[in-house]
Amino acid sequence: MKKTILTGIAFLGFAVSAMAQNFQGMAVYESKTTAPEFKMEGNGITPEMQKMIQERMKKMLEKTFVMNFDKSASIYKEEEKLDAPGQQGPGGRMMSSMMGAGGTYYKNIKDKTYAVDKEFMGKEFLINDSLPKLNWKLEGETRKIGDYNCFKATAVKPVSQSDFRNFRRKKDGDKKEEPKKEKTTNFMDDFEMPKEITITAWYTPDIPVSQGPESYWGLPGLILEVNDGRTVIVCSKVVMNAKEKVEIKAPKNGKVVKQKEYDDIVVKKMEEMREMNGGQGPGRGQQMRFGR
């Protein structure tokens, strides 16, 4: 009984601290995406090259992010590290952006807005939009992540058409029968982007802030894990009220667009690149220009 009272007092003290004006926390997240298996043929692509490409893609989809947050806002950024061979230059940055990375992802849960800066084909974009509100269903399951007691929540989320982590291989029954023609290396014909996906999240009321990684928010506690069936984001470290404070502010650089505008630009440019190469995807040394 005495232990229960002490635990309650400790939690109450943390809750009061969380509501303090200068409250701030930091969470480290490990993100891992299961890449679909690409099978490319032609143009001298050997099984060894295919394996190397698959391994490089796997490595590119393993990332570490740091989120700094207070009671109303957060910034979520990929941890800076030396570029791996083959990931340097505009091409590597473009692929990284399409696979979920960006500059700074800022969320303001008080104003219900977000801003994220992205680089695509050498042009800087600043996406400013309203925070997507998910209809979370609070489940009864519980588990521990590190030292924190967590509760399960699920939701159905519309898919961003510019986030290529969501590509799924088509089922055989979904593939359209087409007249026989000369075979190309356009492996993307075997893939599709779903319209919506089911999200499973684990949050902890022990940290009573409605924050989480990427665009996730809206639960009665910090989200420590998110799983959308292909990408898993897990919190590996939490630091509360560190001595050194981080300025939590929205990014400012880039052409301002809404999320749908940015999605449309990405889809359009990818289609243009595909057509310019006879259905084979981007070629080397090609430059794309954007309208104003």
Side-chain angles (χ1 to χ4, degrees), residues 28-48:
V28 178
Y29 291 91
E30 308 296 334
S31 174
K32 183 179 292 186
T33 300
T34 303
E37 185 179 350
F38 295 125
K39 292 183 179 179
M40 292 176 282
E41 300 175 351
N43 286 348
I45 297 177
T46 65
E48 290 75 19

Side-chain angles (χ1 to χ4, degrees), residues 26-27 35 47 55 78 82 92-93 103 170 181 184 191-192 195 197 210 215 220 247 258 266 278:
M26 184 273 287
E55 287 297 319
E78 185 176 358
L82 293 174
R93 290 194 296 271
K170 291 180 182 177
K181 56 183 179 180
T184 70
F191 296 85
E192 63 183 351
K195 292 184 178 180
I197 50 179
S210 187
S215 62
E247 189 175 11
K258 296 291 187 182
V266 171

Side-chain angles (χ1 to χ4, degrees), residues 105 112 114 130-134 157-158 215-217:
Y105 199 117
K112 295 182 174 54
Y114 75 95
S130 300
L131 271 174
K133 181 174 174 54
L134 297 180
K157 174 188 175 184
S215 62
Y216 299 106
W217 70 291

Side-chain angles (χ1 to χ4, degrees), residues 28-201:
V28 178
Y29 291 91
E30 308 296 334
S31 174
K32 183 179 292 186
T33 300
T34 303
E37 185 179 350
F38 295 125
K39 292 183 179 179
M40 292 176 282
E41 300 175 351
N43 286 348
I45 297 177
T46 65
E48 290 75 19
M49 291 174 64
Q50 169 74 36
K51 183 178 179 181
M52 182 183 68
I53 293 170
Q54 197 72 29
E55 287 297 319
R56 186 171 294 177
M57 180 69 73
K58 178 182 176 182
K59 196 70 176 176
M60 187 180 292
L61 295 175
E62 295 177 355
K63 300 176 180 294
T64 300
F65 294 86
V66 176
M67 184 175 76
N68 294 94
F69 59 91
D70 57 27
K71 62 180 182 179
S72 61
S74 66
I75 50 174
Y76 181 78
K77 297 179 67 174
E78 185 176 358
E79 187 177 63
E80 294 183 3
K81 57 185 176 182
L82 293 174
D83 288 328
Q87 294 184 18
Q88 299 176 359
R93 290 194 296 271
M94 181 186 79
M95 284 299 297
S96 184
S97 177
M98 291 165 63
M99 293 300 178
T104 300
Y105 199 117
Y106 171 85
K107 294 197 300 290
N108 189 312
I109 60 175
K110 183 179 179 181
D111 298 337
K112 295 182 174 54
T113 59
Y114 75 95
V116 55
D117 49 352
K118 294 271 191 180
E119 179 181 333
F120 183 67
M121 292 187 177
K123 187 173 180 66
E124 295 287 341
F125 292 92
L126 179 61
I127 304 169
N128 274 328
D129 217 325
S130 300
L131 271 174
K133 181 174 174 54
L134 297 180
N135 294 318
W136 292 107
K137 179 183 178 183
L138 304 185
E139 310 283 357
E141 294 181 49
T142 62
R143 58 178 279 213
K144 292 200 76 171
I145 297 179
D147 295 328
Y148 295 97
N149 295 310
C150 296
F151 294 83
K152 182 180 179 180
T154 57
V156 175
K157 174 188 175 184
V159 169
S160 168
Q161 297 301 300
S162 63
D163 189 346
F164 284 69
R165 293 175 300 175
N166 293 310
F167 263 132
R168 267 67 169 168
R169 182 176 287 277
K170 291 180 182 177
K171 297 177 182 178
D172 291 337
D174 295 336
K175 296 179 182 179
K176 295 180 180 179
E177 291 292 332
E178 296 182 355
K180 290 186 177 180
K181 56 183 179 180
E182 185 179 349
K183 195 172 185 179
T184 70
T185 58
N186 183 24
F187 57 89
M188 295 308 295
D189 287 340
D190 292 333
F191 296 85
E192 63 183 351
M193 188 81 81
K195 292 184 178 180
E196 57 184 29
I197 50 179
T198 299
I199 306 296
T200 299

